[in-house]
Amino acid sequence: MKSLMKSAVAAFALTTLGFTAASAETRITYKSAKAGSSYYQMGVELAEAMKAGTDGSIIVTIEESQGSVQNVMETKARGGDYVFTTPPALVRLAQQGKAMFENKSDPKFAEIRALFPIPSLTMHFVMSKDSGVTDLAGIEGKTILLGKGSFGATEGEKYLGLFGLADTVKIADAELSNAVAALKNGQIDGFVTAGSWPAPNVIEAAASTPVTVLSMTEAQIAQTKRTTLVIPAGTYAGQDADIQTTSLPVVAYTTTAMDDDTAYELTKTFWESKAKLGGNSPWWNGVNEGLMPTIEGTIHAGAQRYYDEAGIALTDAQK
């Protein structure tokens, strides 16, 4: 009888231990970008970092997205396990009910809270060495591939208009996925792309044919009203000087539905894992405390706790 009782107690203890372990596991859905994109790959890397950095107590599932607008819109129907990425400007527009969010406003947009910055969307104007182009003014009369439907395509078209080049540049009718082959074969003189740096398609282009990634002047950057970003010398093959270009900050967000402890652990684990992330994928090296001022709006209370502990200053608007 005593032996039977001991077995029952042991079984109960194991069951309780298993229940406690299961209860301690927090599951997060992370929605960022289309599968196959650099931002989707970043999500995969973040998921691995969160699992390793929390000893498996936070499990992140990556969910494919059709873009930042969709990510923001889904906050209306999501709970406290939802993390998504978007440029801060879209959160502001959603909360104000403007632009693509006109007549689509929702009280839950006011509950969106920031966690931490991720690699910025960075503009690259990539020209073949054979084109002889060394600055933006030099692309006059050249054939440029912009691609279609992406941020880079829209932004590139905007810049051509701002700099008085729209009527002097021939725009190639092709997809951005064909850019490297078209550049190598001489079908185009250059292409425009936006993504994290180093950008995979720019790495590929520079490795297969001599290229020049153009710098912008301070005056040109001021015209774009975007954030200045410097790509360090040596990032791409044949690049012996820094590249000054523009960027659009991107941030990981959640909502007030997420509890403070989870937001704290996500933020803390991200920053503590960043050096390792950067060692595996260089695009993480572009994320540092200098990007914190690009976060518009309120930072989640749990994340604020980490920043206070780490001595990272926040603006009054972020608190």
Side-chain angles (χ1 to χ4, degrees):
M1 187 69 174
K2 286 182 180 179
S3 177
L4 195 61
M5 182 65 74
K6 286 181 181 179
S7 297
V9 170
F12 177 77
L14 285 171
T15 301
T16 303
L17 183 63
F19 177 77
T20 302
S23 299
E25 184 182 279
T26 300
R27 292 192 170 271
I28 298 295
T29 297
Y30 182 92
K31 198 175 185 75
S32 180
K34 292 182 180 179
S37 69
S38 60
Y39 280 89
Y40 188 90
Q41 179 59 32
M42 285 177 210
V44 173
E45 293 167 354
L46 270 176
E48 294 170 350
M50 290 298 169
K51 183 177 181 181
T54 63
D55 293 325
S57 65
I58 293 181
I59 301 298
V60 177
T61 300
I62 309 304
E63 193 173 287
E64 185 177 12
S65 162
Q66 297 306 306
S68 295
V69 173
Q70 179 195 28
N71 295 353
V72 175
M73 290 295 291
E74 288 197 15
T75 59
K76 296 191 290 186
R78 298 286 189 143
D81 62 344
Y82 183 53
V83 175
F84 65 98
T85 66
T86 187
L90 284 191
V91 173
R92 172 167 36 86
L93 291 173
Q95 292 174 338
Q96 295 174 348
K98 294 181 178 179
M100 64 285 290
F101 298 100
E102 188 174 0
N103 300 321
K104 297 177 182 177
S105 60
D106 190 279
K108 285 201 171 183
F109 291 156
E111 299 172 5
I112 294 173
R113 297 291 184 268
L115 293 172
F116 48 81
I118 66 171
S120 301
L121 280 164
T122 305
M123 287 297 290
H124 293 72
F125 281 78
V126 185
M127 304 299 298
S128 69
K129 286 280 189 184
D130 288 344
S131 71
V133 177
T134 58
D135 57 27
L136 279 171
I139 68 175
E140 182 176 347
K142 303 298 182 182
T143 300
I144 304 296
L145 197 162
L146 291 178
K148 301 171 184 176
S150 66
F151 169 78
T154 303
E155 195 79 347
E157 185 178 15
K158 179 181 106 174
Y159 289 12
L160 293 179
L162 285 175
F163 306 147
L165 297 165
D167 297 328
T168 65
V169 172
K170 181 180 178 181
I171 304 300
D173 184 18
E175 297 294 333
L176 190 60
S177 57
N178 300 323
V180 175
L183 189 72
K184 186 177 179 180
N185 296 333
Q187 296 170 296
I188 59 174
D189 296 301
F191 66 91
V192 179
T193 187
S196 56
W197 67 267
N201 53 352
V202 181
I203 292 174
E204 183 184 357
S208 60
T209 188
V211 302
T212 300
V213 182
L214 305 181
S215 268
M216 296 186 198
T217 66
E218 291 183 6
Q220 288 169 335
I221 291 174
Q223 279 183 272
T224 70
K225 297 182 180 178
R226 295 296 188 194
T227 303
T228 302
L229 187 143
V230 176
I231 302 174
T235 298
Y236 301 112
Q239 177 205 342
D240 56 8
D242 290 349
I243 299 163
Q244 184 170 263
T245 185
T246 60
S247 67
L248 181 65
V250 183
V251 172
Y253 287 92
T254 186
T255 68
T256 55
M258 177 176 284
D259 66 85
D260 289 358
D261 287 344
T262 300
Y264 171 83
E265 288 297 334
L266 286 170
T267 306
K268 179 175 183 287
T269 304
F270 167 73
W271 287 104
E272 291 182 349
S273 303
K274 203 186 74 62
K276 186 175 180 180
L277 283 165
N280 294 328
S281 295
W283 49 46
W284 292 107
N285 294 328
V287 178
N288 53 46
E289 292 178 26
L291 289 182
M292 290 300 296
T294 68
I295 298 178
E296 294 184 28
T298 308
I299 292 175
H300 195 288
Q304 286 189 46
R305 191 206 313 169
Y306 167 75
Y307 292 122
D308 287 343
E309 290 178 0
I312 297 174
L314 303 180
T315 66
D316 290 341
Q318 292 172 332
K319 297 178 181 178

